[in-house]
């Protein structure tokens, strides 16, 4: 896969039986180091602020690290619960990600990770979520996506 990539994140967050779709498609960069895939991209929010994000993928887990106005560190590992102190002055886990299912497909033309998880805040279920992260190489000369 090329260093220049197109990152597509699609998901559904269901809260109180009401599904909400989430979609993001941005250019990014890719590298592979020590058996892990790293995808870096910037996300521009409606208020004009920017969050620098890194997705770290391995065969058994996905980490999303955000720095900037929407800082967070989310870990998704099948069958495990990981918390983050996001929004907590004490640093205690306020948000928990309970990962029910995680999969990673590695292909020559790109990567595809899928995760099903529950989001809990202060121990209470907030939503059930599904997220799919697709990473495809971009042709440098044309800027077009390479989809196999």
């Amino acid at each position: 896969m090329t260093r220049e990539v197109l990152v597509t994140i699609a998901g559904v967050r269901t809260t109180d039986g009401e599904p909400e779709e989430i979609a993001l498609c941005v250019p990014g960069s890719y590298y592979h180091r020590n058996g892990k895939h790293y995808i870096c991209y910037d996300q521009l929010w409606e208020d004009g602020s920017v969050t620098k994000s890194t997705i770290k993928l391995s065969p058994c887990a996905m980490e999303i690290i955000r720095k900037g106005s929407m800082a967070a560190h989310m870990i998704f590992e099948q069958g495990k619960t990981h918390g983050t102190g996001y929004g907590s002055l004490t640093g205690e886990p306020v948000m928990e990600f309970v990962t029910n299912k995680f999969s990673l497909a590695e292909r020559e033309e790109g990567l595809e990770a899928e995760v099903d998880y529950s989001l809990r805040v202060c121990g209470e279920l907030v939503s059930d979520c599904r997220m799919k992260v697709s990473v495809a190489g971009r042709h440098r000369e044309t800027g077009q996506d390479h989809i196999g």
Side-chain angles (χ1 to χ4, degrees), residues 33-106:
R33 183 180 299 149
N34 297 325
K36 294 184 181 171
H37 304 277
Y38 293 83
I39 301 97
C40 304
Y41 62 93
D42 290 344
Q43 185 172 356
L44 180 64
W45 298 93
E46 290 178 7
D47 66 359
S49 63
V50 175
T51 300
K52 295 194 172 293
S53 298
T54 300
I55 298 174
K56 182 169 40 171
L57 293 168
S58 69
C60 61
M62 174 170 63
E63 287 185 59
I64 301 175
I65 303 157
R66 292 181 172 166
K67 295 181 180 180
S69 62
M70 298 292 281
H73 187 171
M74 300 170 276
I75 302 172
F76 304 98
E77 191 173 5
Q78 186 163 325
K80 296 194 177 177
T81 299
H82 290 278
T84 181
Y86 174 75
S88 169
L89 295 176
T90 63
E92 293 178 22
V94 172
M95 292 175 44
E96 294 178 322
F97 304 96
V98 183
T99 306
N100 305 310
K101 182 180 175 188
F102 172 77
S103 65
L104 174 64
E106 301 174 74

Side-chain angles (χ1 to χ4, degrees), residues 97-145:
F97 304 96
V98 183
T99 306
N100 305 310
K101 182 180 175 188
F102 172 77
S103 65
L104 174 64
E106 301 174 74
R107 299 182 191 86
E108 190 173 313
E109 67 274 5
L111 303 167
E112 190 171 278
E114 292 188 62
V115 62
D116 288 340
Y117 66 97
S118 298
L119 173 62
R120 296 183 178 275
V121 175
C122 296
E124 297 292 322
L125 177 66
V126 172
S127 59
D128 289 310
C129 307
R130 225 176 35 244
M131 178 172 37
K132 181 178 180 179
V133 177
S134 302
V135 181
R138 291 181 59 85
H139 293 291
R140 217 180 196 150
E141 312 80 49
T142 64
Q144 294 181 355
D145 305 325

